[in-house]
Amino acid sequence: MNTLQSGSSGSKGDLAANHKDMANALRALSMDAVQQANSGHPGMPMGMADVATVLYSQFLKFDPARPDWADRDRFVLSAGHGSMLLYSLLHLTGYPEMTLDQLKNFRQLGSLTAGHPEVGHAPGIETTTGPLGQGLANAVGMALAERLLNARFGDAAVDHHTYVIAGDGCLMEGISHEAISLAGHLGLSKLIVLFDDNGISIDGPTSLSVSDDQAKRFEASGWDCFTADGHDPEAIAAAIAAAKASSRPAMIACKTAIGFGSPNKAGKNSAHGAPLGVDEITATREALGWPHSAFDIPDDVRAAWQATGAAGAEASAAWDQRMAGLDAADRAELERRMAGDLPADWQDSFRAYKEKLAEEQPKLATRVSSQKALDVLAEAIPELIGGSADLTGSNNTKAASQKPVTRDNFSGDYIYYGVREHGMAAAMNGMALHGGVLPYGGTFLVFTDYCRPSIRLSALMKQRVVYVMTHDSIGLGEDGPTHQPVEHLAALRAIPGLQVFRPADAIETAECWELALQSSDAPSVIALTRQGLPSVRKDVSENLSGHGAYILSPAEGERQATLIASGSEVELALKAQEMLAADGISAAVVSMPCWELFASQSQGYRDEVLGPDSLRIAIEAAIPFGWERWIGSDGGFVGMHGFGASAPAGDLFAHFKITPEAVVENVKARL
């Protein structure tokens, strides 16, 4: 642990002469906005105002006039409850959308200043934070994306840092361990964490609940660590300069007082999550030497902040010149990737692959079908970055052409995440938010429980992240109920904006991959089998999975029953259809790989597929929760009603009566 004292600054440039007033402007805006909203967290912005002022005025590479400039530094407020710090910074440095009125409407309906920062609400917000630890883990993904793109395009085009403000809560959350460990392992030297080391959480002193030596923890994971007085601008600047010079990711423990300047609440948990109160704000103004009224920023202080923002124009213009000197093809490629556009011809080879599947009709586990699709996609889409949480051979996530990413070589395109499901998912969010790469990663479907908070944020932020989730039912067999997902499809389908795909064969698997990659504003889960499945499709002239559900095998004559299935149970539905036909009962088989896409179809199409006048039976090796939406109150369900068991897959399907015979029995009992 390196301690930086006042006077040991190694920063570029001198500290602004009016640092104190600039920092106090952040404090004042934060406490005023929280007070006006009668809701919020004033203590963290007040405590970290000095650190933020030094970072923005001396180190952060940004341009408010070009908030999406590709080579900007990324700033992540992982301690998202302190959102007024970020909103005040954006306002004062000159982001046009972040007006003073937006600050005055903090936490109000329709404002850009939500209770926690939300990406897409306003330029300058890099990620949605609030769930503690998520921002830190997102930042690992951003720093990784920067290194991956740098390896491809060079320093002239891609060379920036990722800075994080994180608090005690972020570091208590378990995801922080996964993120810190991964960043240290990969040696992400352009990642710098500014730890708001104030010793306070909502309940009181952190000594109530934690005794960790955070510096030793980071150092054990391969980070360089520094400490500085978080209210000494020269010491802060020296620490950041030293962190930038490190060949490792760096953490700076900034010793601060929560609610700095508040005579009666500074250093106390009472400054954490509630307004200071009118009287305390008056006393704080006096203590800080800030005689100005609420939301009033003196002209000279505002000018200093605006100059800080305007200074970024020089760096962004210099980047433009470097880009102009790049090879034209490289420049166009980087621009395409950062825009999120797929290569113009990526579907050509994929179309040929699907036609081959239609001809060969393979019997494959859909996890194997997924890998074969990835073999084609990885060659056609160079920004595709894969990975697995220590299950590469089981998830089948590594394409034949992919090479590992290592701390010594970022030119690869496959990441060994280790047993870090949550950290993997959050890092993929950060990679997607950074832009220029298209991340996917795998684990078992049952372990979506470990990364569900990150999956939820993928959907909330509308990020194109692909989750390859294998071993999707009791069909995984002998590993037993701890590994057999039964409620997970329902739980994932409950997340708004998340596409949950469960393909029935190799062709549907290819179609689901195609749909996931084309969904630029939505994440996808692709649930895949361990056991082999026969081909059920022959026609690839249209991506039928894109409808969410479709009639795979129509009824002969007037339809009496509709058998609706997903994934491995489509095969069972087809066998049941044959058995029913032998008994004179006409049934149609509907394959439903994606509820969300089917729900978006017209009512007429949904009626055509479901046959509303027919008896509807759902077949899925999972719990029935949610299926009533498609089968109605009179429909039947063949599937799971509890946890699984340890046995070979075939024995389990028979034991739990997920069989064609059970489907036939269900139909006959209801007709």
Side-chain angles (χ1 to χ4, degrees):
M1 171 75 98
N2 302 287
T3 301
L4 282 301
Q5 302 293 340
S6 178
S8 60
S9 173
S11 66
K12 59 177 182 180
D14 296 326
L15 290 172
N18 53 357
H19 167 91
K20 178 182 176 182
D21 286 340
M22 292 175 72
N24 283 340
L26 296 175
R27 294 185 174 101
L29 288 174
S30 296
M31 65 182 182
D32 290 342
V34 170
Q35 186 65 39
Q36 180 147 312
N38 196 30
S39 175
H41 300 72
M44 179 273 188
M46 297 171 70
M48 286 297 279
D50 289 304
V51 175
T53 299
V54 172
L55 176 65
Y56 268 70
S57 65
Q58 297 187 63
F59 294 96
L60 196 71
K61 184 172 65 171
F62 70 106
D63 183 358
R66 294 177 66 184
D68 296 329
W69 166 35
D71 200 38
R72 68 191 182 279
D73 286 340
R74 270 54 170 185
F75 171 65
V76 174
L77 187 69
S78 188
H81 54 275
S83 56
M84 269 309 306
L85 177 64
L86 177 56
Y87 301 148
S88 299
L89 286 163
L90 298 179
H91 168 67
L92 291 171
T93 55
Y95 285 79
E97 291 82 358
M98 194 58 69
T99 64
L100 190 60
D101 282 341
Q102 291 293 341
L103 271 59
K104 291 179 179 179
N105 284 297
F106 176 55
R107 289 190 166 212
Q108 304 308 301
L109 184 64
S111 73
L112 303 181
T113 48
H116 294 81
E118 295 187 35
V119 70
H121 276 212
I125 300 173
E126 299 287 2
T127 182
T128 295
T129 56
L132 292 175
Q134 282 282 346
L136 172 60
N138 291 168
V140 172
M142 292 177 185
L144 177 53
E146 189 273 345
R147 289 291 83 195
L148 293 170
L149 291 169
N150 173 271
R152 167 64 178 84
F153 296 100
D155 289 348
V158 183
D159 185 16
H160 54 266
H161 283 75
T162 301
Y163 295 94
V164 186
I165 285 181
D168 284 290
C170 294
L171 301 189
M172 288 188 214
E173 289 286 0
I175 191 174
S176 72
H177 173 77
E178 297 183 27
I180 292 164
S181 176
L182 180 62
H185 173 72
L186 290 174
L188 299 178
S189 61
K190 290 185 174 292
L191 174 62
I192 297 175
V193 172
L194 301 157
F195 169 33
D196 180 16
D197 189 9
N198 60 33
I200 293 292
S201 63
I202 290 175
D203 279 353
T206 54
S207 58
L208 291 171
S209 57
V210 65
S211 303
D212 299 6
D213 186 324
Q214 296 294 358
K216 288 182 179 178
R217 179 182 169 210
F218 276 82
E219 287 171 346
S221 291
W223 291 55
D224 268 345
C225 293
F226 305 87
T227 186
D229 180 342
H231 302 300
D232 180 340
E234 290 189 358
I236 297 164
I240 296 176
K244 288 187 68 175
S246 173
S247 60
R248 300 178 176 188
M251 185 273 273
I252 304 170
C254 303
K255 295 290 185 180
T256 63
I258 192 171
F260 180 88
S262 171
N264 300 300
K265 295 188 177 184
K268 300 177 181 178
N269 62 324
S270 57
H272 189 290
L276 296 180
V278 174
D279 292 343
E280 187 65 16
I281 286 178
T282 299
T284 302
R285 280 184 153 77
E286 183 175 350
L288 291 174
W290 185 264
H292 317 290
S293 59
F295 297 103
D296 180 24
I297 304 298
D299 290 345
D300 61 329
V301 178
R302 184 174 293 279
W305 270 116
Q306 289 178 338
T308 292
E314 181 178 347
S316 66
W319 180 78
D320 286 337
Q321 291 183 339
R322 295 196 301 274
M323 285 291 287
L326 279 186
D327 174 80
D330 284 346
R331 182 170 64 251
E333 176 68 3
L334 178 58
E335 290 171 349
R336 178 192 68 75
R337 292 193 194 187
M338 293 304 297
D341 298 330
L342 296 174
D345 57 353
W346 75 276
Q347 287 177 297
D348 293 347
S349 56
F350 206 57
R351 189 178 300 110
Y353 166 69
K354 289 191 295 181
E355 290 171 353
K356 181 181 178 183
L357 291 176
E359 179 182 346
E360 295 180 352
Q361 294 286 287
K363 180 177 181 178
L364 298 169
T366 51
R367 62 172 177 156
V368 176
S369 297
S370 174
Q371 182 172 29
K372 291 183 178 297
L374 282 168
D375 284 343
V376 180
L377 293 169
E379 295 273 11
I381 306 174
E383 63 267 32
L384 204 59
I385 303 296
S388 171
D390 200 48
L391 289 168
T392 294
S394 295
N395 297 150
N396 297 88
T397 39
K398 187 174 184 294
S401 65
Q402 289 180 318
K403 306 298 182 185
V405 173
T406 71
R407 66 184 300 133
D408 300 315
N409 186 358
F410 288 97
S411 63
D413 47 9
Y414 191 82
I415 301 163
Y416 289 98
Y417 284 104
V419 187
R420 302 185 184 101
E421 296 94 345
H422 198 181
M424 173 185 72
M428 289 196 295
N429 281 340
M431 294 164 71
L433 288 160
H434 179 281
V437 296
L438 204 169
Y440 72 88
T443 185
F444 290 170
L445 182 61
V446 74
F447 298 134
T448 53
D449 283 344
Y450 282 85
C451 48
R452 183 180 177 85
S454 297
I455 295 175
R456 180 178 184 269
L457 284 171
S458 296
L460 182 62
M461 296 189 290
K462 300 181 178 180
Q463 294 302 302
R464 179 169 48 187
V465 177
V466 184
Y467 297 93
V468 183
M469 299 299 176
T470 69
H471 296 61
D472 69 344
S473 75
I474 59 169
L476 67 87
E478 293 84 348
D479 274 339
T482 62
H483 281 52
Q484 292 165 5
V486 293
E487 78 277 24
H488 297 74
L489 289 170
L492 291 166
R493 287 165 176 159
I495 298 176
L498 175 66
Q499 299 179 141
V500 182
F501 294 101
R502 190 168 185 248
D505 69 355
I507 289 175
E508 279 197 1
T509 302
E511 289 181 334
C512 291
W513 263 109
E514 197 170 24
L515 294 164
L517 295 177
Q518 289 172 324
S519 300
S520 60
D521 60 354
S524 301
V525 168
I526 306 179
L528 303 166
T529 68
R530 177 180 186 264
Q531 72 273 31
L533 302 180
S535 291
V536 298
R537 279 270 301 282
K538 294 182 179 179
D539 180 14
V540 293
S541 60
E542 178 186 359
N543 187 327
L544 295 176
S545 297
H547 299 295
Y550 61 94
I551 298 174
L552 173 64
S553 180
E556 292 187 6
E558 184 176 352
R559 190 193 320 188
Q560 296 171 270
T562 302
L563 311 180
I564 313 165
S566 76
S568 52
E569 288 68 70
V570 172
E571 175 189 7
L572 306 183
L574 290 169
K575 290 178 180 177
Q577 181 191 39
E578 293 179 3
M579 296 168 65
L580 288 167
D583 290 338
I585 299 174
S586 178
V589 173
V590 170
S591 179
M592 185 178 275
C594 184
W595 288 19
E596 296 76 24
L597 291 180
F598 186 61
S600 70
Q601 304 302 308
S602 68
Q603 185 64 52
Y605 178 80
R606 295 200 301 270
D607 287 345
E608 176 187 345
V609 170
L610 295 178
D613 296 328
S614 67
L615 169 68
R616 283 170 276 170
I617 306 293
I619 313 156
E620 188 170 67
I623 61 170
F625 191 85
W627 270 106
E628 63 276 2
R629 179 181 187 183
W630 309 119
I631 62 177
S633 58
D634 298 328
F637 178 79
V638 175
M640 297 295 293
H641 296 276
F643 293 114
S646 181
D651 294 346
L652 290 172
F653 276 91
H655 174 74
F656 289 108
K657 293 183 171 54
I658 306 174
T659 63
E661 291 78 9
V663 176
V664 170
E665 181 181 339
N666 208 303
V667 170
K668 289 181 176 180
R670 284 175 165 78
L671 279 179

